Amino acid sequence: MADYREAPLASRPKTLDPNEYFNLSKEYRRAEEDRAAIRASLKMQYQTQLNNPHRKALIEDPALTRWVHARANPYLYFKPTFKTSLVGLLFGVVPLFGLYYIFKTDRDRKEAQIKAGTLDRKFSLSS
């Protein structure tokens, strides 16, 4: 095996980890080879259809169809997690309450100045 130095902030890739590569059971290796054979045959079938100069119909790519369906129906496939909940809270709820607080305190300050008679009102048609 080649000398491989791990990066300080990254873990060793699975393909270079000797425990993951050399200590595999025969069943696991056979299953991996079967999956690789299925992927290779599907890829060859797709490439054959794609490069056929006499094709008349569109090529159906199931992975692309699944992706388009998932993009068209995001709420069917959305899973709420801590991160999505936090992002929704920070970008959806916090700005609303923050703007409410800013406008309310500014309005209360101006009303207090008007009642005390200390607000210098300039004549303006725009406000």
Side-chain angles (χ1 to χ4, degrees), residues 9 16-17 30 35 48-50 53-54 57 60 63 71 88 96 100 102 109 111 116 118 121-123:
L9 298 176
L16 294 178
D17 189 5
R30 189 176 302 119
R35 284 193 288 273
T48 304
Q49 290 176 359
L50 184 66
H54 303 294
E60 183 72 23
R71 290 287 296 201
L96 294 175
Y100 171 77
I102 290 170
R109 183 185 55 82
E111 284 183 9
T118 58
R121 291 185 176 182
K122 297 178 183 170
F123 179 74

Side-chain angles (χ1 to χ4, degrees), residues 9-29:
L9 298 176
S11 61
R12 182 181 289 244
K14 181 181 175 184
T15 55
L16 294 178
D17 189 5
N19 295 328
E20 292 289 329
Y21 187 73
F22 293 117
N23 298 332
L24 299 177
S25 66
K26 289 187 183 260
E27 294 84 20
Y28 184 79
R29 285 190 183 197

Side-chain angles (χ1 to χ4, degrees), residues 25 82 88 96-97 106:
S25 66
F82 177 74
L96 294 175
F97 284 107
D106 185 49

Side-chain angles (χ1 to χ4, degrees), residues 13-72:
K14 181 181 175 184
T15 55
L16 294 178
D17 189 5
N19 295 328
E20 292 289 329
Y21 187 73
F22 293 117
N23 298 332
L24 299 177
S25 66
K26 289 187 183 260
E27 294 84 20
Y28 184 79
R29 285 190 183 197
R30 189 176 302 119
E32 284 283 326
E33 289 171 0
D34 290 343
R35 284 193 288 273
I38 290 170
R39 277 196 308 270
S41 68
L42 287 173
K43 184 177 179 180
M44 186 181 71
Q45 179 185 2
Y46 181 74
Q47 290 292 332
T48 304
Q49 290 176 359
L50 184 66
N51 295 323
N52 182 8
H54 303 294
R55 71 178 152 97
K56 302 285 186 206
L58 293 174
I59 299 171
E60 183 72 23
D61 187 4
L64 185 61
T65 305
R66 285 192 305 270
W67 182 80
V68 169
H69 184 265
R71 290 287 296 201

Side-chain angles (χ1 to χ4, degrees), residues 64-84:
L64 185 61
T65 305
R66 285 192 305 270
W67 182 80
V68 169
H69 184 265
R71 290 287 296 201
N73 303 302
Y75 299 111
L76 295 176
Y77 301 99
F78 175 75
K79 290 185 173 59
T81 62
F82 177 74
K83 182 178 176 182
T84 58

